[in-house]
Amino acid sequence: MFIEEIYKIYLKHPSIQTDTRKLKEDDFFVALKGPNFNGNKFALQALTNGAAYALIDEMPIESERIAAELSEPGIGKRLILVDDALTTLQQLAKHHREQLNIPFIAITGSNGKTTSKELIYAVLASHFTTYTTQGNLNNHIGVPLTLLSIRKDAEMAVIEMGANHQKEIESYCSYTLPTHGVITNCGKAHLEGFGGIEGVRKGKGELYQFLRDHNGTAFVYADYDYLQPMSAGIANIVHYGQNKGLVQGRIEASEPFLTVAITAGLEPVETGADSSTTAPQQGIKQASQDNTTLNNPILIKSQLVGDYNLPNILCALTIGKFFGVPTEKMVKAIEDYAPSNSRSQLIEQGTNHIILDAYNANPSSMKVAIENFARIHANRKILLLGGMMELGAESIAEHKALVELIASLGFKEVVLVGGDFIYTKDLFTQYTNANFIYKDNALEARDWLQQLNPQDSYILVKGSRSMKMEQVIQ
């Protein structure tokens, strides 16, 4: 069956489902396979449970088909057999994408891409009908599912792309077909798969290459020097930063929530201002300081923890400005956004203030989180840090470098949990100013924290996803 024929079926049944446990009546079931599962085995069950059709790449055994036909005559006609269900899903997503003549903004980067995606979505959705990646559906399955979730009323789409090896972003671009793109940064993440920091830049840079080849637009943070040669040659570059770009701003406060002062690029917020424009301002690339000046900035009080979120906020505002979102809507969208899912969350627990940033970690994100935590004024601060994964040959050295950073910043109470932190214990005795403790897992760290029972303290909890560091405060 050709993609065009499958697409006609999709248009009648546009809710795609890959998990029979989440199946709803009239869904279009796609049978995917992995190392530990095979959706083909559940295709007939999906149809019995209400799915309209099932896309499969393995036909059920004859006895099961006969039994299903006896129970529900004609059920076999709703099985769509293809060579590879995942490839067909991606092709279907591309075909759907080609029907949508709207801006598609792709976001990737080592750190901050999900926060940036959520902020960009919040800003654009305040003025346009906008669709975006849900949760972290940013891989070879999640990206096509996101594309197929976009309906005909869409005016904007914001697509997050994760990657841990070369050619991954390139493949996502081949069916997402982004018109605009953002690389938040290139840090020490997934070093094992990318093969070092240059490999990270090459892999993330595949988004820039697609934009370069297709006359796209890149939103580039002006204060990261390495992004400038990476983005060279792209037809349309819109900068943002502290002193250059369409929108410019600085950190006004971060105790602990980040307040940003916008020094150029946004019109002053006025009651009753016209909010009717929907035309993208495609030609604007550099802000003037006629209305917003260094001495009279617009202050945006976010619910985000960490100075490192400044580029994420400026990026969202820049994209909003570029597409004509009124200032008052953008400011409200940023201020109303509250992080969730263990991403830079500030949690009040008794008299303690807990910064829970346990969704993921790598050397770059750990460093900025620890340095930001060091700048917070508090009588007592406690670090609970989980191991970092996918660092390859650099892993032990990167874990030891964090121990040295922590000691240099004067932290007194530090618990290091699992992973290659086990190989840093020989350093503990070298730093008499800090009390380093090692625990094998998050549950042991939780027991330690409960026994300590601190009061009036700031506590930073961070680690790679597999460390499940959120368990420390549960």
Side-chain angles (χ1 to χ4, degrees), residues 192-231:
E192 187 173 29
F194 280 117
I197 188 65
E198 287 306 317
V200 173
R201 293 179 183 179
K202 183 178 180 182
K204 300 298 183 183
E206 290 163 11
L207 173 55
Y208 281 165
Q209 188 59 50
F210 185 91
L211 297 173
R212 193 177 288 115
D213 293 342
H214 295 83
N215 198 36
T217 298
F219 300 97
V220 179
Y221 189 50
D223 297 298
Y224 290 154
D225 291 342
Y226 59 85
L227 289 180
Q228 314 319 310
M230 283 178 63
S231 59

Coordinates of all heavy atoms in Angstrom, one line a residue, residues 192-231:
E192 N 30.1 9.7 24.4 CA 30.4 8.4 23.9 C 29.9 8.1 22.5 O 30.6 7.6 21.6 CB 29.8 7.4 24.9 CG 30.1 5.9 24.6 CD 29.6 5.0 25.7 OE1 28.6 5.3 26.3 OE2 30.2 3.9 25.9
G193 N 28.7 8.6 22.3 CA 28.1 8.4 21.0 C 28.6 9.4 19.9 O 28.7 9.0 18.7
F194 N 28.8 10.6 20.3 CA 29.3 11.6 19.4 C 30.8 11.6 19.1 O 31.2 12.1 18.1 CB 28.9 13.0 19.9 CG 27.4 13.4 19.6 CD1 26.6 13.6 20.7 CD2 27.0 13.5 18.3 CE1 25.3 14.0 20.4 CE2 25.6 13.8 18.1 CZ 24.8 14.1 19.1
G195 N 31.5 11.0 20.1 CA 33.0 10.9 19.9 C 33.7 12.2 20.3 O 34.6 12.7 19.6
G196 N 33.3 12.9 21.4 CA 34.0 14.1 21.8 C 33.2 15.3 21.5 O 32.2 15.3 20.8
I197 N 33.7 16.5 22.0 CA 32.9 17.7 21.8 C 32.8 18.2 20.4 O 31.8 18.7 20.0 CB 33.6 18.9 22.7 CG1 32.7 20.1 22.7 CG2 35.0 19.2 22.2 CD1 31.4 19.9 23.4
E198 N 33.8 17.9 19.6 CA 33.7 18.3 18.1 C 32.7 17.4 17.5 O 32.0 17.9 16.5 CB 35.1 18.1 17.5 CG 36.1 19.2 17.8 CD 35.6 20.6 17.6 OE1 35.0 20.8 16.5 OE2 35.8 21.5 18.5
G199 N 32.6 16.2 17.9 CA 31.5 15.3 17.4 C 30.1 15.8 17.7 O 29.2 15.7 17.0
V200 N 30.0 16.4 19.0 CA 28.7 17.0 19.4 C 28.4 18.1 18.5 O 27.2 18.2 18.0 CB 28.8 17.5 20.9 CG1 27.6 18.2 21.2 CG2 29.0 16.3 21.8
R201 N 29.3 19.0 18.2 CA 29.0 20.2 17.3 C 28.7 19.7 15.9 O 27.8 20.3 15.3 CB 30.3 21.1 17.3 CG 30.5 21.7 18.7 CD 31.7 22.7 18.7 NE 31.9 23.2 20.0 CZ 32.9 24.0 20.4 NH1 33.8 24.4 19.4 NH2 33.0 24.5 21.6
K202 N 29.4 18.7 15.4 CA 29.1 18.2 14.1 C 27.7 17.6 14.1 O 26.9 17.9 13.1 CB 30.1 17.2 13.7 CG 29.9 16.6 12.3 CD 31.0 15.6 11.9 CE 30.8 15.1 10.5 NZ 31.8 14.1 10.1
G203 N 27.3 16.8 15.1 CA 26.0 16.2 15.1 C 24.9 17.2 15.3 O 23.9 17.2 14.5
K204 N 25.0 18.1 16.2 CA 24.0 19.2 16.4 C 23.9 20.1 15.1 O 22.9 20.6 14.7 CB 24.3 20.0 17.6 CG 24.3 19.2 18.9 CD 23.0 18.5 19.2 CE 23.0 17.8 20.5 NZ 21.7 17.1 20.8
G205 N 25.1 20.3 14.5 CA 25.2 21.2 13.4 C 24.5 20.6 12.1 O 24.3 21.4 11.2
E206 N 24.0 19.4 12.2 CA 23.2 18.9 11.1 C 21.9 19.7 10.9 O 21.4 19.7 9.8 CB 22.9 17.4 11.3 CG 24.2 16.5 11.2 CD 24.0 15.1 11.8 OE1 22.9 14.7 12.2 OE2 25.1 14.4 11.9
L207 N 21.4 20.3 12.0 CA 20.3 21.1 11.8 C 20.6 22.4 11.0 O 19.9 22.8 10.1 CB 19.7 21.5 13.2 CG 18.6 22.6 13.2 CD1 17.4 22.1 12.3 CD2 18.1 22.8 14.6
Y208 N 21.8 23.0 11.4 CA 22.2 24.2 10.6 C 22.4 23.8 9.1 O 22.1 24.6 8.2 CB 23.5 24.7 11.2 CG 23.4 25.5 12.4 CD1 24.5 25.8 13.2 CD2 22.2 26.1 12.8 CE1 24.5 26.6 14.3 CE2 22.1 26.9 13.9 CZ 23.2 27.1 14.7 OH 23.2 28.0 15.8
Q209 N 23.0 22.6 8.9 CA 23.2 22.2 7.5 C 21.9 22.1 6.7 O 21.9 22.5 5.5 CB 24.0 20.9 7.5 CG 24.5 20.5 6.1 CD 25.4 21.5 5.5 OE1 26.4 21.9 6.1 NE2 25.1 21.9 4.2
F210 N 20.9 21.6 7.3 CA 19.6 21.5 6.6 C 19.1 22.9 6.3 O 18.6 23.1 5.2 CB 18.6 20.7 7.5 CG 17.3 20.5 6.8 CD1 17.1 19.4 6.0 CD2 16.3 21.4 6.8 CE1 15.9 19.2 5.3 CE2 15.1 21.3 6.1 CZ 14.9 20.1 5.4
L211 N 19.2 23.8 7.3 CA 18.7 25.2 7.1 C 19.6 25.8 6.0 O 19.0 26.6 5.1 CB 18.8 26.0 8.4 CG 17.9 25.5 9.5 CD1 18.2 26.2 10.8 CD2 16.4 25.6 9.1
R212 N 20.9 25.5 6.0 CA 21.8 26.1 5.0 C 21.4 25.6 3.6 O 21.4 26.4 2.6 CB 23.2 25.7 5.3 CG 24.3 26.4 4.5 CD 25.7 25.9 5.0 NE 26.0 26.4 6.4 CZ 26.1 25.7 7.4 NH1 26.0 24.4 7.4 NH2 26.4 26.2 8.6
D213 N 21.0 24.3 3.5 CA 20.7 23.7 2.2 C 19.3 24.1 1.7 O 19.0 23.9 0.5 CB 20.8 22.2 2.3 CG 22.2 21.7 2.5 OD1 23.2 22.5 2.2 OD2 22.4 20.6 2.9
H214 N 18.4 24.6 2.6 CA 17.0 24.8 2.2 C 16.6 26.2 2.5 O 15.4 26.5 2.7 CB 16.1 23.8 3.0 CG 16.4 22.4 2.6 ND1 17.4 21.6 3.1 CD2 15.7 21.6 1.7 CE1 17.3 20.4 2.6 NE2 16.4 20.4 1.7
N215 N 17.5 27.2 2.5 CA 17.2 28.6 2.6 C 16.4 28.9 3.8 O 15.5 29.7 3.8 CB 16.4 29.1 1.3 CG 16.4 30.6 1.2 OD1 17.4 31.2 1.5 ND2 15.3 31.2 0.7
G216 N 16.8 28.2 4.9 CA 16.0 28.4 6.2 C 16.6 29.5 7.0 O 17.4 30.3 6.6
T217 N 16.0 29.7 8.2 CA 16.3 30.7 9.2 C 16.8 30.1 10.5 O 16.2 29.2 11.0 CB 15.1 31.6 9.5 OG1 14.7 32.3 8.2 CG2 15.5 32.7 10.5
A218 N 18.0 30.6 10.9 CA 18.5 30.1 12.2 C 18.5 31.2 13.2 O 18.8 32.4 13.0 CB 19.9 29.6 12.0
F219 N 18.0 30.9 14.4 CA 18.1 31.8 15.6 C 19.3 31.4 16.4 O 19.4 30.3 16.9 CB 16.8 31.7 16.4 CG 15.6 32.0 15.7 CD1 14.8 31.0 15.1 CD2 15.2 33.4 15.5 CE1 13.6 31.3 14.4 CE2 14.1 33.7 14.8 CZ 13.3 32.7 14.2
V220 N 20.3 32.3 16.5 CA 21.6 32.0 17.0 C 22.0 32.9 18.2 O 21.9 34.1 18.1 CB 22.7 32.2 15.9 CG1 24.1 31.8 16.4 CG2 22.4 31.3 14.7
Y221 N 22.4 32.3 19.3 CA 22.8 33.0 20.5 C 24.2 33.6 20.2 O 25.2 32.9 20.0 CB 22.9 32.1 21.7 CG 23.1 32.8 23.0 CD1 22.3 33.8 23.4 CD2 24.1 32.4 23.9 CE1 22.5 34.5 24.6 CE2 24.2 33.0 25.1 CZ 23.4 34.1 25.5 OH 23.6 34.7 26.7
A222 N 24.2 35.0 20.2 CA 25.4 35.7 19.8 C 26.6 35.5 20.8 O 27.7 35.7 20.4 CB 25.1 37.2 19.7
D223 N 26.3 35.1 22.0 CA 27.4 35.1 23.1 C 28.1 33.8 23.1 O 29.0 33.6 23.9 CB 26.8 35.4 24.4 CG 26.2 36.8 24.5 OD1 27.0 37.8 24.3 OD2 25.0 37.0 24.6
Y224 N 27.7 32.8 22.3 CA 28.4 31.5 22.2 C 29.3 31.6 20.9 O 28.8 31.4 19.8 CB 27.5 30.3 22.1 CG 26.8 30.0 23.4 CD1 25.6 29.4 23.4 CD2 27.3 30.4 24.7 CE1 24.9 29.1 24.6 CE2 26.7 30.1 25.8 CZ 25.5 29.5 25.8 OH 24.8 29.2 27.0
D225 N 30.6 31.9 21.1 CA 31.4 32.1 19.9 C 31.4 30.9 18.9 O 31.4 31.1 17.7 CB 32.9 32.3 20.4 CG 33.1 33.6 21.1 OD1 32.2 34.5 21.0 OD2 34.1 33.7 21.8
Y226 N 31.3 29.7 19.4 CA 31.4 28.5 18.5 C 30.2 28.4 17.6 O 30.2 27.7 16.6 CB 31.6 27.2 19.4 CG 30.5 26.9 20.3 CD1 29.3 26.3 20.0 CD2 30.6 27.3 21.7 CE1 28.3 26.0 20.9 CE2 29.6 27.0 22.6 CZ 28.5 26.4 22.2 OH 27.4 26.1 23.1
L227 N 29.0 29.0 18.0 CA 27.9 28.9 17.1 C 28.0 29.8 15.9 O 27.3 29.6 14.9 CB 26.6 29.3 17.9 CG 26.1 28.4 19.0 CD1 24.9 29.0 19.6 CD2 25.8 27.0 18.4
Q228 N 28.9 30.8 15.9 CA 29.0 31.7 14.8 C 29.6 31.0 13.5 O 29.0 31.0 12.5 CB 29.8 32.9 15.2 CG 29.4 33.6 16.5 CD 27.9 33.6 16.8 OE1 27.1 34.1 15.9 NE2 27.5 33.2 17.9
P229 N 30.8 30.3 13.6 CA 31.2 29.6 12.5 C 30.3 28.4 12.1 O 30.2 28.0 10.9 CB 32.6 29.1 12.9 CG 32.7 29.1 14.3 CD 31.8 30.3 14.7
M230 N 29.7 27.8 13.1 CA 28.8 26.7 12.8 C 27.6 27.1 11.9 O 27.2 26.3 11.1 CB 28.3 26.1 14.1 CG 29.2 25.2 14.9 SD 28.5 24.6 16.4 CE 27.1 23.6 15.8
S231 N 27.1 28.3 12.2 CA 26.0 28.8 11.4 C 26.3 29.6 10.2 O 25.4 30.0 9.4 CB 25.1 29.7 12.3 OG 25.9 30.8 12.8

